[in-house]
Amino acid sequence: MRSLEARATPSGVGGPRTTPKLDTLYRADVLGYVSVYFVGGYTATVRLTVGPDNPPTHVVGIAHGGGESNSYAGAIVRPGEYWLAATSGHRADHGFSLHFTPLY
């Protein structure tokens, strides 16, 4: 019975969510989910790319600021893959938030 109870106990939540920076190349150590969303401010476009190459080239989402549609992009990133949320324009504050959530 104790063996079954131990296996039935939830393993808990994985690592903490992080708030990476836009325009910065990352490589995932674990399976995770990246979300990018517009919160207000200067309008821009964020292109979310993932893949085994540095820099990644597979576009998995595009988010546009300043509109009601396409203001969110998200994707699963596999361990070992690179990912990048690249902005258009040259402003320091693009009005987007970015989160990485480990899925383990």
Side-chain angles (χ1 to χ4, degrees), residues 40-83:
Y42 295 115
T43 60
T45 300
V46 176
R47 188 174 166 168
L48 183 57
T49 56
V50 301
D53 300 321
N54 178 2
T57 57
H58 186 77
V59 178
V60 292
I62 297 176
H64 301 279
E68 291 297 318
S69 63
N70 298 327
S71 59
Y72 177 87
I76 289 178
V77 181
R78 296 175 288 203
E81 283 188 316
Y82 292 95
W83 64 273

Side-chain angles (χ1 to χ4, degrees), residues 10-101:
S11 60
V13 176
R17 287 185 176 91
T18 57
T19 52
K21 296 180 186 280
L22 295 168
D23 299 313
T24 302
L25 179 68
Y26 291 94
R27 187 167 188 206
D29 293 330
V30 298
L31 180 68
Y33 185 79
V34 176
S35 63
V36 181
Y37 58 95
F38 186 66
V39 293
Y42 295 115
T43 60
T45 300
V46 176
R47 188 174 166 168
L48 183 57
T49 56
V50 301
D53 300 321
N54 178 2
T57 57
H58 186 77
V59 178
V60 292
I62 297 176
H64 301 279
E68 291 297 318
S69 63
N70 298 327
S71 59
Y72 177 87
I76 289 178
V77 181
R78 296 175 288 203
E81 283 188 316
Y82 292 95
W83 64 273
L84 175 65
T87 58
S88 63
H90 302 288
R91 298 181 188 266
D93 178 16
H94 293 283
F96 283 87
S97 283
L98 177 61
H99 298 281
F100 180 84
T101 303

Side-chain angles (χ1 to χ4, degrees), residues 1-12:
M1 185 67 135
R2 289 183 190 178
S3 174
L4 288 174
E5 287 175 349
R7 287 188 276 171
T9 303
S11 60

